[in-house]
Amino acid sequence: MIDAGTRLGRYEIRSKLGAGGMGEVYRAHDERLNRDVAIKVLPAALSQDTDRLRRFEQEAQAAGALNHPNILAVYDVGMHDGSPYIVSELLEGEELREQLNDGPLPQRKALDYAQQIAQGLAAAHERGITHRDLKPENLFITTDGRVKILDFGLAKLRPPRNESTSSEIDTRKQITDPGTVMGTVGYMSPEQVRGHEADHRSDIFSFGSILYEMLAGQRAFRRETMAETMTAILKEEPPELSETNAKISLPLEKIVRRCLEKKPERRFQSTSDLGFALEALSTPSGSGFETATSVTMATDDHAVEGRTWFVRNARLAWIAAGVLLLAALMVAIPYFFQRAPAAPTVTRFTIAPPEKLVIGESLALSPDGKVVAFSGTDETGKTLLWIRALDALTPQPLAGTEGGRFPFWSPDGRSLGFFADAKLKRIEIAGGAAQPLADASLEPRGATWGSDGIILFSPNIISPVYRVSAAGGSASPLTEIDQSRSETSHRWPYFLPDGRHFIYFVRGPKKEEQGLFLASVDSKDRRLLLKVESSVAYMPPDAPSRSPGLLLFMRDQTLMAQPFDKDKLELSGEPQAIAEDVVHYGEIGPSALGIFSISTNGVLCYQTGNRSTSQLTWFDRSGKQLGTVGAAGNLSEPVLSPDGQRVAVGMEKEAPGDVWIMELARGTFTRFTFDPHLDRRPIWSPDGSRIVFSSDRNGFDGL
């Protein structure tokens, strides 16, 4: 117990707020900033416990690394009489447990709390932090209705997905030994009960238990003894929510059920996707709930059926130092907006690229859905287009496509269009020389080939969409960049089946004015379809009697589908998720591009993984990897300083992106630019005293 008036550094203790297994909490006053704060102190009697001390230190590291409105903000750490303490924001309100003691929450309030919890967890999971002790006692409701996630004392720090295993965090001794059961009984996941490895999906299970309790007014797995409770978590299902609260909607109950799946692979695979499903339920109309059910459950193997197939490519490390693996998954896509009577037929297979082939940032599926084209760079640095028949054993290089990027097919499947050498080109699949069609740049932004022999393309990062004949000739701008809306470019054009209408992405510095627009080659008119940052594709109906088709687009790293009538050119209904963890480029790289492609007969091909994580890596002149530098992140275009002591690099850490400088000796990053626009592509001056970089802060890219 620390008496009132005691000083801990610049903080003066005012009163004790509470105590728990991981420490005592006090109200204190920060004299320097003239504000009240909360201080959590590990009791002196426990400070000699090495395990507890490690967990307490980890809580500070985990919470201090996060900055999110739904996570308790950590201000400072220190020591007092040999005991460590954490200084955090002082909250006014009550624990979620206090509200649950009064019975179930109204569905609207429970859904609001659930969305906020999911948003906070998503932020933590994005940083590689798993909570592992999520429970109502660790969720605080402020007086203004905000949810705060508390106590990362049991959090498991781990590198973000795809981070190099040589990182400092990865080589640190794990705080929890394998086989040790951690967490709070009643809210633990099955893998925690077994003492197995627990990742972010364990938090999703705990989240499901909490959401169930908010809706039902009783715990999902509460039994007479701890052993019986753990057995229930492993083998039993909680009662149907409709049995405890008849007002619970079926779509919401299905979301809870999916969170509480015993096997991690059957739950939501990311908290962001869980958040999207919950957000879809927030629509005011009852129909929104039913549509959201289809969206949420469409990816569940027990609820899908249909004749359409897709190929799914596993994570490809796209940076120069990365190790490449191209995998594919062939699976039946459901009748997305219909209830299916039978289970699907599923076939999985792997597409392995030749050894040491680095795969490029796009792919294209042939119109008949039998061949996938992609760009690849071999170990000598030579880039070509490669084609791989889905029934073949290996991909084959396409001669004459040196430097090829962003391939796209002709409607008859006999030719490929692509960009290379600052030109738009085409080449026959059967062989022959590539034919230049129009001027472009080294940074084009996509093209599409219409049924009337028209190719639409975006030649550079600040251009409108141009049109040119597939036979070659004069290219002319088709769209006009609207300066009054601060538009900076039009990119990723996509022809609809009629060969006259197309959809393209409008980019600009104002996120609220970006989106997908519908236009025609016969008119200057256009209209906004969707406010999303994505490329697009059209999936035809499964059968002539089923109309409309589906418009596919990205929402973060989730591939979405929404009904689209190709004749009326109108969207209807609500979007639903088709695939999770799909590669989607943000500000750095070919921004707004989702790595997916679809054939005219409904075959969908996409690449999965987190393209935003890359690792600076040293190599010797023979190509042997020597080691890594610093932590992984969304890094691009690293450039060594003339003296070899620093690296300037673009980093999308605080979007839309800035130039950062790393001190190689320490492996630490320091932010160099602070403008809210996109700064990247740094170049050192010869004496190392200045940096030139690209920025769109004036509405267009400049130096």
Side-chain angles (χ1 to χ4, degrees), residues 139-152:
L139 297 169
F140 195 92
I141 313 300
T142 65
T143 53
D144 59 356
R146 288 181 297 119
V147 179
K148 292 280 188 175
I149 303 175
L150 314 179
D151 196 356
F152 278 85

Side-chain angles (χ1 to χ4, degrees), residues 48-59:
Q48 301 305 314
D49 187 323
T50 304
D51 182 58
R52 283 185 178 272
L53 187 58
R54 263 200 210 102
R55 293 184 199 170
F56 191 83
E57 292 172 346
Q58 184 162 300
E59 178 179 350

